[in-house]
């Protein structure tokens, strides 16, 4: 049987995820926050230490194809695009600085499963990013005074809304980037005969490029839901906001530590 994930078949064609390096391109709206470090530390797996309370909330529209199927956008368009939203915490592992995406929502199941394999804690949600199109005669494109909006919802509950009123052209320095993305691969045993997996990882990202950066006045509205934990981000200071485009590759994730279940 062949395939990186279910469905496993003789050809491997029905697998949700390819066993190959993937490339991404995305349009993003990101708002940077500062939250209570003690509450954030409670969301981090063992081995990570919260930085200074810096967080980011984002909504993005992603294109993604594997090196095995570079023509996926022609052959399977819905299998090559998805939307994602997240609340991510600035943290360190030893001397290594990075972000840990505490909560991530996506709108395609293959992105969810691929995320779990790489240590991204994902759920299915309803995500929308609205950025002005350069050929829209009413809005024009991204420029001073343009507005960008994003929303993340799940099961009928609005989890958060982001917005940005553009005030100036920006550059990569407006992104509060950190070199690493950490993850938590967590696969519990549901029976004593099974083998659990719990490990802290660093996602293997490469070929990162950033462009079309615009900065401005941001806002964020946090909602709530009975099966979420958004209250950990409720007390916050809004720091900055940007919209931009970027691309990168991911080739799995490197295990940093094995964690106790």
């Amino acid at each position: 049987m062949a395939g990186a994930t279910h469905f496993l078949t003789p050809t491997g064609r029905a697998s949700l995820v390819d066993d190959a390096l993937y490339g991404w391109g995305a349009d993003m709206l990101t708002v940077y926050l500062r939250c209570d470090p003690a509450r954030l530390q409670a969301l981090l797996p063992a081995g990570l230490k919260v930085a200074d309370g810096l967080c980011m909330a984002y909504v993005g529209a992603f294109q993604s194809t594997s090196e095995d199927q570079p023509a996926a956008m022609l052959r399977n368009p819905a299998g090559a695009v998805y939307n994602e939203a997240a609340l991510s915490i600035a943290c360190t592992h030893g001397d290594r600085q990075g972000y840990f995406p505490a909560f991530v929502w996506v709108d395609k199941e293959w992105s969810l499963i691929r995320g779990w394999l790489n240590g991204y804690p994902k759920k299915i949600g309803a995500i929308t990013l609205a950025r002005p199109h350069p050929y829209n005669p009413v809005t024009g494109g991204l420029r001073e005074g343009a507005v960008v909006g994003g929303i993340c919802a799940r099961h009928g509950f609005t989890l958060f809304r982001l917005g940005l009123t553009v005030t100036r052209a920006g550059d990569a320095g407006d992104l509060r980037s950190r070199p690493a993305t950490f993850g938590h691969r967590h696969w519990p045993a549901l029976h004593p005969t099974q083998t659990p997996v719990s490990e802290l990882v660093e996602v293997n990202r490469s070929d990162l490029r950033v462009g079309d950066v615009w900065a401005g006045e941001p806002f964020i509205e946090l909602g709530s839901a009975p099966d979420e934990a958004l209250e950990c981000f409720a007390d916050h200071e809004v720091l900055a906001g940007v919209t931009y485009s970027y691309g990168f590759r991911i080739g799995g994730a490197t295990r940093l530590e094995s964690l106790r279940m």
Side-chain angles (χ1 to χ4, degrees):
M1 304 292 274
T5 63
H6 294 298
F7 298 150
L8 302 178
T9 63
T11 66
R13 190 172 63 247
S15 173
L16 273 173
V17 177
D18 294 337
D19 185 13
L21 200 68
Y22 273 81
W24 278 259
D27 294 325
M28 304 291 295
L29 169 59
T30 298
V31 174
Y32 295 100
L33 315 169
R34 196 173 310 283
C35 299
D36 179 358
R39 301 193 80 177
L40 298 179
Q41 186 65 51
L43 297 177
L44 297 179
L48 296 182
K49 182 178 180 181
V50 71
D52 58 358
L54 175 65
C55 304
M56 64 175 173
Y58 70 74
V59 173
F62 287 76
Q63 297 178 350
S64 178
T65 55
S66 75
E67 291 188 343
D68 282 356
Q69 299 193 61
M73 281 184 275
L74 173 64
R75 297 179 56 248
N76 182 16
V81 296
Y82 68 98
N83 296 298
E84 179 174 294
L87 293 164
S88 195
I89 301 169
C91 57
T92 58
H93 178 258
D95 295 331
R96 181 77 163 154
Q97 297 185 347
Y99 281 100
F100 175 74
F103 306 143
V104 187
W105 300 267
V106 294
D107 59 3
K108 297 288 178 68
E109 91 280 20
W110 51 267
S111 176
L112 180 143
I113 294 299
R114 185 178 59 191
W116 285 10
L117 292 172
N118 285 326
Y120 287 91
K122 294 185 175 184
K123 293 181 178 181
I124 292 292
I127 301 104
T128 301
L129 172 66
R131 297 207 319 167
H133 193 282
Y135 293 113
N136 184 324
V138 174
T139 66
L142 288 167
R143 54 179 172 74
E144 184 176 343
V147 293
V148 184
I151 190 166
C152 175
R154 181 171 179 268
H155 293 172
F157 294 92
T158 297
L159 304 183
F160 64 83
R161 294 179 60 235
L162 303 180
L164 182 76
T165 300
V166 173
T167 57
R168 61 177 176 85
D171 57 39
D174 289 300
L175 280 63
R176 304 194 178 196
S177 301
R178 299 166 73 88
T181 299
F182 302 112
H184 183 191
R185 284 170 43 89
H186 180 76
W187 301 86
L190 302 182
H191 188 272
T193 60
Q194 297 177 351
T195 302
V197 173
S198 186
E199 51 193 20
L200 181 67
V201 299
E202 180 177 338
V203 178
N204 298 323
R205 297 207 309 169
S206 61
D207 294 341
L208 181 64
R209 295 190 297 165
V210 177
D212 199 21
V213 180
W214 295 84
E217 294 294 329
F219 82 84
I220 178 171
E221 295 178 356
L222 278 176
S224 63
D227 55 353
E228 302 288 354
L230 302 177
E231 64 275 6
C232 297
F233 297 89
D235 295 327
H236 61 262
E237 174 191 2
V238 178
L239 302 176
V242 288
T243 186
Y244 58 96
S245 298
Y246 80 138
F248 54 92
R249 296 175 190 259
I250 290 181
T254 299
R255 185 177 66 184
L256 302 176
E257 298 183 28
S258 293
L259 305 178
R260 295 183 62 182
M261 295 291 287

